[in-house]
Amino acid sequence: MTKLRVGLLFGGRSGEHEVSIKSARAIAKALSAEENATKYEILPFYIQKDGRWLAGEAPQKVLETGNPLLEAEQTAEGNLTSNPQAQTLSKWESPSQVAQVDIWFPVLHGPNGEDGTIQGLLTLMQVPFVGSGVLGSAMGMDKIAMKMAFEQAGLAQVKYKAITRAQVWSNPCVFPKLCDEIEAALGYPAFVKPANLGSSVGIAKVRSRQELEAALDNAASYDRRLVVEAGVVAREVECAVLGNDQPQASVVGEISYDSDFYDYETKYTEGRADLLIPALIPDAIARQIQDMALQAFAAVDAAGLARVDFFYVEATQEVLINEINTLPGFTATSMYPQLWAHSGVSFPELVDRLIQLALERYSPS
């Protein structure tokens, strides 16, 4: 039996470079486990923080150690001219091993990874790849486009206001009026977010005019598109989706934490957040969340996988959609694979199904 050569693509230029490495290590382990070892051959590709691609020994070293390559190590790898696999390429070149890939498994979180950019490149390669295409990825990344799609699909969500960097960094007469509009429409507390960053980067909870002005200025330094959302007292629950045109929803899980909100530090510091699977919520609410997750998946034209996050307002029994993540964290302790593990799908089986879904989507029939 000829093994399918899986191009495991990880690292990347975003602030979630290290998270990508953790996800890639877990996926590589799953591809080498049980029946997967007889079906798949892993071809790892590591994208450095400056955008250069490495194949061969360098990405294998990163997978083994779990650590990004330091600049000195990158230079050393590039000087191994006797090993063409390890040569450092320019930003406009890709390793020769790219031509050997039968199917891509991108594990790039954040900008330049799950925003449609790498998906466009892989589409041009005319090789199947795991996950959403250009449209689904782009809409899943841009919070404003995502919210517009949810609104069109009739999915309930918190009140929000979309603004631009130009409005924030405008003349002193315009900016106060913008803040007046935000206060009138949303009140306090509110959340200020860059539209196109993941893992809570650049997000701030604001309770006053002074905090609002500072948060808008900070968020504008990350992105030219921003969104401000009304705060809500609610439990944070999540649902995983798996499939293409006939997707399935997992059991519902809940995130609890002691910090003011689920920020980057809380998300990635061990012990700062707890996952409860399944969530202790009424069955009817769980079914509603699963149904809304599938609607959201279709609304942005997602494919393969996604994690959909919700607010459950216990006092009113209201469910509000927060966002969809088309390339969620994929470590052994991440919510997405854990939700499926509690739904009867093991990690190795989950990885296998994602590859099969990618092949199914690429098939002309």
Side-chain angles (χ1 to χ4, degrees):
M1 178 179 174
T2 303
K3 292 185 179 181
L4 203 65
R5 290 166 295 190
V6 179
L8 185 60
L9 188 59
F10 64 101
R13 298 183 58 215
S14 83
E16 298 176 73
H17 186 98
E18 286 76 12
V19 181
S20 171
I21 293 174
K22 292 180 180 178
S23 293
R25 294 185 77 199
I27 291 171
K29 182 178 179 181
L31 286 171
S32 303
E34 303 170 13
E35 295 182 6
N36 287 346
T38 65
K39 297 166 63 175
Y40 305 117
E41 176 187 351
I42 305 171
L43 297 180
F45 294 84
Y46 176 60
I47 300 181
Q48 300 172 211
K49 291 185 177 181
D50 66 357
R52 290 181 171 85
W53 290 42
L54 293 176
E57 294 178 5
Q60 193 60 49
K61 178 179 180 180
V62 176
L63 287 177
E64 290 171 358
T65 65
N67 300 316
L69 286 181
L70 300 176
E71 188 171 343
E73 293 177 300
Q74 294 169 3
T75 302
E77 293 286 356
N79 288 335
L80 295 176
T81 53
S82 61
N83 181 3
Q85 291 184 332
Q87 291 179 18
T88 301
L89 304 169
S90 78
K91 295 178 183 179
W92 308 110
E93 293 180 285
S94 58
S96 59
Q97 293 93 326
V98 163
Q100 301 172 20
V101 173
D102 296 315
I103 184 167
W104 288 99
F105 202 130
V107 199
L108 300 163
H109 306 302
N112 300 303
E114 58 180 307
D115 58 0
T117 50
I118 197 72
Q119 288 75 17
L121 175 62
L122 300 181
T123 298
L124 289 173
M125 289 183 183
Q126 301 182 56
V127 177
F129 59 89
V130 170
S132 295
V134 174
L135 177 62
S137 300
M139 293 190 71
M141 190 69 185
D142 188 289
K143 294 178 177 64
I144 298 173
M146 178 198 306
K147 287 178 178 296
M148 293 174 67
F150 290 164
E151 188 173 356
Q152 184 68 27
L155 295 169
Q157 55 190 325
V158 298
K159 292 188 294 183
Y160 73 96
K161 185 173 179 63
I163 55 180
T164 65
R165 175 189 290 160
Q167 290 176 285
V168 175
W169 290 350
S170 57
N171 65 64
C173 296
V174 174
F175 185 55
K177 293 180 181 179
L178 173 65
C179 292
D180 288 341
E181 293 173 3
I182 294 171
E183 289 177 329
L186 306 177
Y188 294 112
F191 288 88
V192 178
K193 305 178 178 181
N196 285 282
L197 286 181
S199 285
S200 304
V201 175
I203 296 178
K205 184 178 182 178
V206 299
R207 305 171 186 80
S208 66
R209 180 64 165 256
Q210 183 178 4
E211 291 181 350
L212 174 63
E213 292 176 352
L216 286 170
D217 182 63
N218 180 60
S221 69
Y222 287 101
D223 195 359
R224 55 175 291 275
R225 285 160 61 84
L226 317 174
V227 61
V228 185
E229 299 173 352
V232 60
V233 178
R235 294 163 63 180
E236 296 193 29
V237 293
E238 302 183 347
C239 183
V241 179
L242 177 67
N244 289 328
D245 295 331
Q246 295 180 312
Q248 297 174 302
S250 71
V251 298
V252 178
E254 180 175 5
I255 298 173
S256 61
Y257 46 87
D258 295 328
S259 55
D260 199 23
F261 71 98
Y262 199 41
D263 58 8
Y264 186 92
E265 184 179 356
T266 302
K267 187 173 292 187
Y268 293 116
T269 303
E270 188 174 352
R272 292 291 301 272
D274 294 316
L275 308 183
L276 179 62
I277 308 172
L280 300 178
I281 56 178
D283 291 343
I285 295 297
R287 287 193 295 271
Q288 181 183 352
I289 290 169
Q290 290 171 323
D291 184 56
M292 291 177 68
L294 295 177
Q295 291 180 58
F297 192 81
V300 302
D301 192 34
L305 74 161
R307 192 197 69 232
V308 191
D309 304 343
F310 297 88
F311 297 122
Y312 169 44
V313 186
E314 199 167 12
T316 61
Q317 298 290 290
E318 189 177 14
V319 176
L320 304 171
I321 191 166
N322 179 21
E323 64 180 16
I324 187 170
N325 188 322
T326 58
L327 196 53
F330 224 107
T331 70
T333 58
S334 296
M335 180 64 102
Y336 184 84
Q338 285 209 51
L339 286 170
W340 281 115
H342 283 78
S343 302
V345 182
S346 69
F347 201 116
E349 182 185 355
L350 180 60
V351 169
D352 178 48
R353 288 179 64 173
L354 285 170
I355 291 174
Q356 296 306 315
L357 285 167
L359 294 171
E360 170 194 293
R361 189 163 181 261
Y362 189 78
S363 173
S365 58

mmCIF file with all atom_site columns, all heavy atoms in Angstrom, residues 279-293:
data_model
loop_
_atom_site.group_PDB
_atom_site.id
_atom_site.type_symbol
_atom_site.label_atom_id
_atom_site.label_alt_id
_atom_site.label_comp_id
_atom_site.label_asym_id
_atom_site.label_entity_id
_atom_site.label_seq_id
_atom_site.pdbx_PDB_ins_code
_atom_site.Cartn_x
_atom_site.Cartn_y
_atom_site.Cartn_z
_atom_site.occupancy
_atom_site.B_iso_or_equiv
_atom_site.pdbx_formal_charge
_atom_site.auth_seq_id
_atom_site.auth_comp_id
_atom_site.auth_asym_id
_atom_site.auth_atom_id
_atom_site.pdbx_PDB_model_num
ATOM 1   N N   . ALA A 1 279 ? -20.517 20.489 28.890 1.00 0.00 ? 279 ALA A N   1
ATOM 2   C CA  . ALA A 1 279 ? -20.935 21.614 29.721 1.00 0.00 ? 279 ALA A CA  1
ATOM 3   C C   . ALA A 1 279 ? -22.209 21.243 30.478 1.00 0.00 ? 279 ALA A C   1
ATOM 4   O O   . ALA A 1 279 ? -23.073 20.522 29.957 1.00 0.00 ? 279 ALA A O   1
ATOM 5   C CB  . ALA A 1 279 ? -21.188 22.845 28.846 1.00 0.00 ? 279 ALA A CB  1
ATOM 6   N N   . LEU A 1 280 ? -22.319 21.723 31.695 1.00 0.00 ? 280 LEU A N   1
ATOM 7   C CA  . LEU A 1 280 ? -23.508 21.456 32.514 1.00 0.00 ? 280 LEU A CA  1
ATOM 8   C C   . LEU A 1 280 ? -24.583 22.485 32.179 1.00 0.00 ? 280 LEU A C   1
ATOM 9   O O   . LEU A 1 280 ? -24.805 23.475 32.885 1.00 0.00 ? 280 LEU A O   1
ATOM 10  C CB  . LEU A 1 280 ? -23.142 21.508 33.998 1.00 0.00 ? 280 LEU A CB  1
ATOM 11  C CG  . LEU A 1 280 ? -22.072 20.503 34.449 1.00 0.00 ? 280 LEU A CG  1
ATOM 12  C CD1 . LEU A 1 280 ? -21.753 20.669 35.923 1.00 0.00 ? 280 LEU A CD1 1
ATOM 13  C CD2 . LEU A 1 280 ? -22.535 19.079 34.155 1.00 0.00 ? 280 LEU A CD2 1
ATOM 14  N N   . ILE A 1 281 ? -25.256 22.234 31.077 1.00 0.00 ? 281 ILE A N   1
ATOM 15  C CA  . ILE A 1 281 ? -26.325 23.111 30.600 1.00 0.00 ? 281 ILE A CA  1
ATOM 16  C C   . ILE A 1 281 ? -27.526 22.249 30.218 1.00 0.00 ? 281 ILE A C   1
ATOM 17  O O   . ILE A 1 281 ? -27.388 21.042 29.978 1.00 0.00 ? 281 ILE A O   1
ATOM 18  C CB  . ILE A 1 281 ? -25.870 23.940 29.376 1.00 0.00 ? 281 ILE A CB  1
ATOM 19  C CG1 . ILE A 1 281 ? -25.361 23.012 28.252 1.00 0.00 ? 281 ILE A CG1 1
ATOM 20  C CG2 . ILE A 1 281 ? -24.771 24.929 29.775 1.00 0.00 ? 281 ILE A CG2 1
ATOM 21  C CD1 . ILE A 1 281 ? -24.946 23.738 26.986 1.00 0.00 ? 281 ILE A CD1 1
ATOM 22  N N   . PRO A 1 282 ? -28.728 22.838 30.155 1.00 0.00 ? 282 PRO A N   1
ATOM 23  C CA  . PRO A 1 282 ? -29.915 22.062 29.763 1.00 0.00 ? 282 PRO A CA  1
ATOM 24  C C   . PRO A 1 282 ? -29.744 21.425 28.383 1.00 0.00 ? 282 PRO A C   1
ATOM 25  O O   . PRO A 1 282 ? -29.096 22.003 27.498 1.00 0.00 ? 282 PRO A O   1
ATOM 26  C CB  . PRO A 1 282 ? -31.038 23.114 29.762 1.00 0.00 ? 282 PRO A CB  1
ATOM 27  C CG  . PRO A 1 282 ? -30.558 24.176 30.702 1.00 0.00 ? 282 PRO A CG  1
ATOM 28  C CD  . PRO A 1 282 ? -29.069 24.225 30.525 1.00 0.00 ? 282 PRO A CD  1
ATOM 29  N N   . ASP A 1 283 ? -30.323 20.265 28.190 1.00 0.00 ? 283 ASP A N   1
ATOM 30  C CA  . ASP A 1 283 ? -30.219 19.564 26.910 1.00 0.00 ? 283 ASP A CA  1
ATOM 31  C C   . ASP A 1 283 ? -30.726 20.416 25.747 1.00 0.00 ? 283 ASP A C   1
ATOM 32  O O   . ASP A 1 283 ? -30.132 20.405 24.660 1.00 0.00 ? 283 ASP A O   1
ATOM 33  C CB  . ASP A 1 283 ? -31.006 18.245 26.963 1.00 0.00 ? 283 ASP A CB  1
ATOM 34  C CG  . ASP A 1 283 ? -30.359 17.223 27.883 1.00 0.00 ? 283 ASP A CG  1
ATOM 35  O OD1 . ASP A 1 283 ? -29.163 17.401 28.208 1.00 0.00 ? 283 ASP A OD1 1
ATOM 36  O OD2 . ASP A 1 283 ? -31.040 16.248 28.271 1.00 0.00 ? 283 ASP A OD2 1
ATOM 37  N N   . ALA A 1 284 ? -31.805 21.143 25.987 1.00 0.00 ? 284 ALA A N   1
ATOM 38  C CA  . ALA A 1 284 ? -32.383 21.977 24.922 1.00 0.00 ? 284 ALA A CA  1
ATOM 39  C C   . ALA A 1 284 ? -31.407 23.075 24.504 1.00 0.00 ? 284 ALA A C   1
ATOM 40  O O   . ALA A 1 284 ? -31.293 23.407 23.309 1.00 0.00 ? 284 ALA A O   1
ATOM 41  C CB  . ALA A 1 284 ? -33.698 22.591 25.382 1.00 0.00 ? 284 ALA A CB  1
ATOM 42  N N   . ILE A 1 285 ? -30.688 23.635 25.459 1.00 0.00 ? 285 ILE A N   1
ATOM 43  C CA  . ILE A 1 285 ? -29.702 24.676 25.155 1.00 0.00 ? 285 ILE A CA  1
ATOM 44  C C   . ILE A 1 285 ? -28.531 24.075 24.386 1.00 0.00 ? 285 ILE A C   1
ATOM 45  O O   . ILE A 1 285 ? -28.029 24.667 23.428 1.00 0.00 ? 285 ILE A O   1
ATOM 46  C CB  . ILE A 1 285 ? -29.211 25.355 26.450 1.00 0.00 ? 285 ILE A CB  1
ATOM 47  C CG1 . ILE A 1 285 ? -30.358 26.104 27.134 1.00 0.00 ? 285 ILE A CG1 1
ATOM 48  C CG2 . ILE A 1 285 ? -28.058 26.309 26.146 1.00 0.00 ? 285 ILE A CG2 1
ATOM 49  C CD1 . ILE A 1 285 ? -30.935 27.246 26.330 1.00 0.00 ? 285 ILE A CD1 1
ATOM 50  N N   . ALA A 1 286 ? -28.101 22.884 24.789 1.00 0.00 ? 286 ALA A N   1
ATOM 51  C CA  . ALA A 1 286 ? -27.007 22.207 24.090 1.00 0.00 ? 286 ALA A CA  1
ATOM 52  C C   . ALA A 1 286 ? -27.377 21.941 22.636 1.00 0.00 ? 286 ALA A C   1
ATOM 53  O O   . ALA A 1 286 ? -26.565 22.160 21.716 1.00 0.00 ? 286 ALA A O   1
ATOM 54  C CB  . ALA A 1 286 ? -26.657 20.899 24.797 1.00 0.00 ? 286 ALA A CB  1
ATOM 55  N N   . ARG A 1 287 ? -28.596 21.494 22.413 1.00 0.00 ? 287 ARG A N   1
ATOM 56  C CA  . ARG A 1 287 ? -29.044 21.226 21.038 1.00 0.00 ? 287 ARG A CA  1
ATOM 57  C C   . ARG A 1 287 ? -29.116 22.526 20.236 1.00 0.00 ? 287 ARG A C   1
ATOM 58  O O   . ARG A 1 287 ? -28.779 22.545 19.044 1.00 0.00 ? 287 ARG A O   1
ATOM 59  C CB  . ARG A 1 287 ? -30.401 20.534 21.052 1.00 0.00 ? 287 ARG A CB  1
ATOM 60  C CG  . ARG A 1 287 ? -30.358 19.072 21.509 1.00 0.00 ? 287 ARG A CG  1
ATOM 61  C CD  . ARG A 1 287 ? -31.657 18.351 21.193 1.00 0.00 ? 287 ARG A CD  1
ATOM 62  N NE  . ARG A 1 287 ? -32.776 18.900 21.953 1.00 0.00 ? 287 ARG A NE  1
ATOM 63  C CZ  . ARG A 1 287 ? -33.153 18.498 23.159 1.00 0.00 ? 287 ARG A CZ  1
ATOM 64  N NH1 . ARG A 1 287 ? -32.479 17.519 23.762 1.00 0.00 ? 287 ARG A NH1 1
ATOM 65  N NH2 . ARG A 1 287 ? -34.179 19.034 23.769 1.00 0.00 ? 287 ARG A NH2 1
ATOM 66  N N   . GLN A 1 288 ? -29.546 23.599 20.875 1.00 0.00 ? 288 GLN A N   1
ATOM 67  C CA  . GLN A 1 288 ? -29.602 24.892 20.191 1.00 0.00 ? 288 GLN A CA  1
ATOM 68  C C   . GLN A 1 288 ? -28.203 25.360 19.795 1.00 0.00 ? 288 GLN A C   1
ATOM 69  O O   . GLN A 1 288 ? -27.998 25.859 18.684 1.00 0.00 ? 288 GLN A O   1
ATOM 70  C CB  . GLN A 1 288 ? -30.265 25.938 21.101 1.00 0.00 ? 288 GLN A CB  1
ATOM 71  C CG  . GLN A 1 288 ? -30.378 27.319 20.447 1.00 0.00 ? 288 GLN A CG  1
ATOM 72  C CD  . GLN A 1 288 ? -30.979 28.363 21.388 1.00 0.00 ? 288 GLN A CD  1
ATOM 73  O OE1 . GLN A 1 288 ? -31.442 28.038 22.487 1.00 0.00 ? 288 GLN A OE1 1
ATOM 74  N NE2 . GLN A 1 288 ? -30.977 29.613 20.960 1.00 0.00 ? 288 GLN A NE2 1
ATOM 75  N N   . ILE A 1 289 ? -27.249 25.176 20.685 1.00 0.00 ? 289 ILE A N   1
ATOM 76  C CA  . ILE A 1 289 ? -25.870 25.560 20.396 1.00 0.00 ? 289 ILE A CA  1
ATOM 77  C C   . ILE A 1 289 ? -25.307 24.729 19.246 1.00 0.00 ? 289 ILE A C   1
ATOM 78  O O   . ILE A 1 289 ? -24.650 25.262 18.338 1.00 0.00 ? 289 ILE A O   1
ATOM 79  C CB  . ILE A 1 289 ? -25.005 25.398 21.668 1.00 0.00 ? 289 ILE A CB  1
ATOM 80  C CG1 . ILE A 1 289 ? -25.384 26.469 22.696 1.00 0.00 ? 289 ILE A CG1 1
ATOM 81  C CG2 . ILE A 1 289 ? -23.516 25.465 21.337 1.00 0.00 ? 289 ILE A CG2 1
ATOM 82  C CD1 . ILE A 1 289 ? -24.787 26.252 24.063 1.00 0.00 ? 289 ILE A CD1 1
ATOM 83  N N   . GLN A 1 290 ? -25.565 23.452 19.247 1.00 0.00 ? 290 GLN A N   1
ATOM 84  C CA  . GLN A 1 290 ? -25.097 22.593 18.156 1.00 0.00 ? 290 GLN A CA  1
ATOM 85  C C   . GLN A 1 290 ? -25.701 23.013 16.826 1.00 0.00 ? 290 GLN A C   1
ATOM 86  O O   . GLN A 1 290 ? -25.011 23.070 15.800 1.00 0.00 ? 290 GLN A O   1
ATOM 87  C CB  . GLN A 1 290 ? -25.449 21.133 18.462 1.00 0.00 ? 290 GLN A CB  1
ATOM 88  C CG  . GLN A 1 290 ? -24.643 20.547 19.615 1.00 0.00 ? 290 GLN A CG  1
ATOM 89  C CD  . GLN A 1 290 ? -25.149 19.182 20.041 1.00 0.00 ? 290 GLN A CD  1
ATOM 90  O OE1 . GLN A 1 290 ? -26.357 18.924 20.045 1.00 0.00 ? 290 GLN A OE1 1
ATOM 91  N NE2 . GLN A 1 290 ? -24.236 18.290 20.414 1.00 0.00 ? 290 GLN A NE2 1
ATOM 92  N N   . ASP A 1 291 ? -26.981 23.326 16.823 1.00 0.00 ? 291 ASP A N   1
ATOM 93  C CA  . ASP A 1 291 ? -27.655 23.750 15.602 1.00 0.00 ? 291 ASP A CA  1
ATOM 94  C C   . ASP A 1 291 ? -27.089 25.079 15.108 1.00 0.00 ? 291 ASP A C   1
ATOM 95  O O   . ASP A 1 291 ? -26.838 25.252 13.906 1.00 0.00 ? 291 ASP A O   1
ATOM 96  C CB  . ASP A 1 291 ? -29.164 23.873 15.857 1.00 0.00 ? 291 ASP A CB  1
ATOM 97  C CG  . ASP A 1 291 ? -29.932 24.215 14.587 1.00 0.00 ? 291 ASP A CG  1
ATOM 98  O OD1 . ASP A 1 291 ? -29.811 23.468 13.592 1.00 0.00 ? 291 ASP A OD1 1
ATOM 99  O OD2 . ASP A 1 291 ? -30.650 25.241 14.572 1.00 0.00 ? 291 ASP A OD2 1
ATOM 100 N N   . MET A 1 292 ? -26.864 26.020 16.031 1.00 0.00 ? 292 MET A N   1
ATOM 101 C CA  . MET A 1 292 ? -26.303 27.315 15.650 1.00 0.00 ? 292 MET A CA  1
ATOM 102 C C   . MET A 1 292 ? -24.874 27.166 15.142 1.00 0.00 ? 292 MET A C   1
ATOM 103 O O   . MET A 1 292 ? -24.445 27.892 14.240 1.00 0.00 ? 292 MET A O   1
ATOM 104 C CB  . MET A 1 292 ? -26.361 28.279 16.838 1.00 0.00 ? 292 MET A CB  1
ATOM 105 C CG  . MET A 1 292 ? -27.769 28.721 17.210 1.00 0.00 ? 292 MET A CG  1
ATOM 106 S SD  . MET A 1 292 ? -27.817 29.803 18.679 1.00 0.00 ? 292 MET A SD  1
ATOM 107 C CE  . MET A 1 292 ? -26.992 31.283 18.043 1.00 0.00 ? 292 MET A CE  1
ATOM 108 N N   . ALA A 1 293 ? -24.123 26.224 15.708 1.00 0.00 ? 293 ALA A N   1
ATOM 109 C CA  . ALA A 1 293 ? -22.755 25.981 15.251 1.00 0.00 ? 293 ALA A CA  1
ATOM 110 C C   . ALA A 1 293 ? -22.745 25.523 13.799 1.00 0.00 ? 293 ALA A C   1
ATOM 111 O O   . ALA A 1 293 ? -21.913 25.973 12.992 1.00 0.00 ? 293 ALA A O   1
ATOM 112 C CB  . ALA A 1 293 ? -22.078 24.947 16.139 1.00 0.00 ? 293 ALA A CB  1
#
